[in-house]
Structure formats: C-alpha cells, structure tokens
Amino acid sequence: MTGKKRYYLTTPIYYVNDQPHIGHAYTSLACDVLARFKRMDGYDVHFLTGTDEHGQKVAKSAEDAGTDPQGFCDRVSRNFRDLAGAMNYTNDDFIRTTEERHIKSCQALWNELIGKGEIYLGKYAGWYAVRDEAFYAEDELKDGPDGRKIAPSGAECEWVEEDSYFFRLSAWGERLLKFYDENPDFILPPNRRNEVVSFVRSGLRDLSVSRTTFSWGIPVPGDSRHIMYVWLDALTNYITGVGYPDTGAESWKRFWPADLHMVGKDILRFHTVYWPAFLMAAGLPPPKRVFAHGWWTNEGQKISKSLNNVINPLDLVATYGLDPTRYFLLREVPFGQDGDFSRAAMIHRINSDLANDFGNLAQRVLSMINKNCDGKVPEHGPFLPADTRLTDAAYNLVHPCRATLDVQAFHKMLDEIWAVVGQANRYVDEQGPWVLKKTDPARMHTVLYVLAETLRCLALLAHPFMPQSMDRLLDQLAVPQDARNFSVLTARHALKSGTELPAPQGIFPRFVEDGARS
Ligand code: ME8
C-alpha cells in the first residue's frame, strides 16, 4: 500500500440549512469521477465529503423549523448522505462538523494559532452577511432599499459589534502572493486565480474568527464566551478528515496536503486566501490545488427557493436514469464555466451522445458477434493498418484522458472519448462487416474483434462517469473484475478469442421530448 501513489480530494461540506440540490450534486459528482478515475489508474484515493453544521445560518434554520439545532442537523445531514448513495458516489468518509473528532481538531488548530501569536483578542465592528457567513468591508457593499446594505453575492448585511478574536490575516498578504507565484496551478481555472491575486494585492485586513452573540458553534478553548467563526470551523474539516491533530497518524502522513479541494466559485476566497493562511500560520502545508467551478442556472434563471425552481437531482435520476444524469452534468458545460440547465438540452445530449453514438456502436457490435461468432469473442487473423489505427487510438486514449482530468477538464476528457466513438462508428461503416459476412467471414471476425477491443477501452475510460452502464457493457464483453483498470486497458488484445459472451442488451434508453422513454 505505501508504495502506491496517493490522491486526496474533497468536496465542500454543505450547509444543512437546506435540502441538497443540483449544485451540491454537481460538485460531488465531479469529485466522484476523479476519485474513480484515480483508483482505476492505480492510486490510493481518499475522497471526503460531508456537512457543515454550525453557525448562525444553521441555528436560524433550526429555530425556524422549531427544532433543536443538533436534531435539525441530524435530519438534514442524512439527506446529503442519502444523496451520495443515490448518485453512486464513492466517498471514503462523510464528515459532520458536530462530530467529536472535528471539535477536537478545531480546538487543536486554534491552540496552535494562539500559541504562535497568530490570533489576538479585539473588538469587531462591521458588516456581516448571515447568508454567506461572511464579513464585508463597507466599500464592498451596495445600498439596498430602506438603507439596507447588500453584499456582492446579493446577501443582506447586518451591522455587528462584539468582542472577537482576530486572525492576523493582514500579515499574510506577501506570503500568499509568493505562494501563488510559486504554485501557478494552485488556483484553477486561471481567471479565478487572477481574481484572487488582485484581491490579495489590494491589501488584507485581520479576520474576525470568533462570535459571542449566539452559541451554536465550537467553543474557543479557554474562553467559553466565544464560539469559533463557522468558516474556521468548516475549513478545518479537510484536516480532521485525515486525522489532525494526530500528525503522526498514518492517514495524515499519507494524505496531507490534499491534492484537490473542489469548490464552487462562490467560496473561492475562503479556500484560497483564508485557508492557506490559517495552515501556513499553524506551520502546516497548504493544499496543492483549489478548483472553483461555475454556477448552474435553471432555464436561464438563478436557482433559488424563493423562485421555486430548485432542481432536485433525485428527480432527474428518476426521470432520465442515474448514468445519463451523471453524464449530462459533466458534458454539457465546460467545467469551470457557468451553465444553464434545460430539459431539452438534457434529452438532446442523452439521445445523440449516449443512445445514438455510443449505444448504437455497442449494440451493433455485440449483436453481430452474438449472431455471427457463436456468441464468443471472435477469432482474429492478421491486422490491417485500418485495424491498428483504431485500436491504437483506443489504447492511447488513456493519455489525453489523464492529462485533461489532471486539470479537471471533464468535458474535454469526454470529447476525447467521443472522438474515438466516432472513429469506431466510421470504421464499422467503412469495413462493412455485414458484407464481409458473405464475402470474407474470417475478415469479418477480425473486424468484430477490433471493435470489441475498442469497446472494452471505451467502456473502461467512460466508467468513472457512468459506472453502472459501463459495468453492464464490460459484463457483455466478459471483462473480469480484476481487469477493469487502466493498466489492463493498455494491454493489447486483452480480450481472449473464444471467451463465451452473455446475450447483448441495450445500455442507454432514448427519450422523446416529454422525457418519457421511447
Ligand atoms: O458554502 N451551481 O455550503 P453550501 C453549482 N458550507 N454549484 C453549486 C450551486 C449552483 N447553483 N449551488 C451550490 C457552503 N453549489 C459552506 C462550504 S467548505 C469548507 C464550507 C455547490 O451548502 C458549490 O460547490 O452553500 C458551492 O460552492 C457549494 O455547493 C456551496 O454549498
């Protein structure tokens, strides 16, 4: 185990003030695809997700629901855990910030920061947005109706004056800029990096890291009037999840620093400014990358409870199936950019990419093998240049897939796979195996063997996106479980001629405009 390459990735931990929606499903899905890909590529992966349960926003939601905060968190957190099951995520752990291991970890980090003189006691007077759980400077705010102050996110701010501990963020500006400079891929995509660099260049102020006016949070060690600021508490989950404060633990030594924190663009600043500063101040290495993806809207509108247009991912799964939903979310929008959800676009994608391109290829090849090769992996004769052109493209596909996924370009990876799907469909048309059946049956066997090998590679590479469907396809090619990884992918001609194959079945349904299966 210790010799294996490692990969630690995390989703944001989601607030339990609300039900999970398509945005939460999206971030976790992206992580799931990466985690599955890395495992198939021989990595020892740790994939962490969970729920963010403290703070004023959650306390208020519990109060509105007439429930005690812990009972409320238990109930809503379960929905996020259930979503992970329903979406077939392979997270290795699910962390809740109300767990004892996390409270211990936050208090240890706090003590470390106090011990190093990075936190001091003062008084906060300024603007706070409960919806964002964020402090804002006066010049960041716009005037709203009735003299109200509005944050750039649209959240309403309130004036807060209370005793507070402060983190010496102002002292970290230069060191953060140097860190970004030395680690050009720390923040992706690049436009997000520019945004952060100019924010830090404009000067950082010390950050209030405790509150006294409500009590739903982790007590500050040695001063129980204060609870920790919810973002200090929340960000710490990433180190709790690998064993902090036990820095001698196997999991810590193996997995920290994290390879990737996947987040939405709304929480970029917390992850790329505050978090590395907290860690460096505590003498801990910062994560290797933060990727901030874009924002989904629904049929052109912002997704919000008040507009009553929240998309429940479970409804999509019930209507379109799990794997088509997983595919669509990562295919439709270049990862990193904002995207608009529309049912018409979803049906179009499913029908054209899955049912037509990939589904038809699989169906044509498997049913011809079933009818003409005795239901067995065909024998093959000598390969012609057209054959090796296709199989080489399939075997080599793993390289661009690795490269695109290493920069979280999920859409480009799918483009690469579909280019070979297209090439295979053209090869079927050019070779005409149904004609060869009459003129040259031995050559037909070779052509079908080449196509079966190509399908094997395509199914393995598309597996992280659509695990159930691709497993069904790999079952139909009789690929053993222990050969469903990328080291066997590149083993040429891994399909053994003469292997008995099960009866072929379609893998992707087709939909008509109202969403029903045709
Ligand atoms: O911010 N489009 O939690 P949160 C795309 N607890 N992604 C979306 C989205 C949308 N319309 N809406 C939400 C928090 N997301 C904190 C995080 S981490 C230490 C603490 C996704 O429940 C996206 O990943 O508000 C976004 O960053 C996250 O949900 C916010 O989830």
Side-chain angles (χ1 to χ4, degrees), residues 13-15 21 23-24 27 52 231 238 264 266-267 293-296:
I13 47 169
Y14 305 111
Y15 285 129
H21 67 67
H24 307 119
T27 319
D52 186 356
W231 271 100
Y238 300 133
D266 54 326
I267 54 176
H293 65 64
W295 213 238
W296 280 97

Side-chain angles (χ1 to χ4, degrees), residues 11-17 21-24 26-27 52 57 80 231 234-238 262-267 271 293-297 303:
T11 74
I13 47 169
Y14 305 111
Y15 285 129
V16 289
N17 65 310
H21 67 67
I22 192 175
H24 307 119
Y26 182 58
T27 319
D52 186 356
K57 172 149 116 168
F80 282 92
W231 271 100
L235 289 160
T236 304
N237 95 85
Y238 300 133
M262 179 69 82
V263 299
K265 64 179 184 178
D266 54 326
I267 54 176
H271 283 81
H293 65 64
W295 213 238
W296 280 97
T297 49
I303 298 176

Side-chain angles (χ1 to χ4, degrees), residues 36 85-88 317 321-324 326 462-475 484 507-508:
R36 287 174 178 273
M87 295 294 293
N88 203 3
V317 170
L322 175 57
D323 284 351
R326 288 176 58 114
H463 190 279
F465 292 88
M466 300 182 285
Q468 290 179 347
S469 321
M470 293 303 108
D471 271 333
R472 278 206 298 279
L473 182 51
L474 291 164
D475 289 346
R484 296 183 185 187
I507 39 172
F508 295 118

Side-chain angles (χ1 to χ4, degrees), residues 21-51:
H21 67 67
I22 192 175
H24 307 119
Y26 182 58
T27 319
S28 299
L29 170 64
C31 288
D32 186 57
V33 169
L34 259 169
R36 287 174 178 273
F37 186 93
K38 290 285 180 190
R39 287 192 201 102
M40 288 176 78
D41 211 12
Y43 285 72
D44 179 12
V45 171
H46 192 70
F47 168 17
L48 179 69
T49 188
T51 45

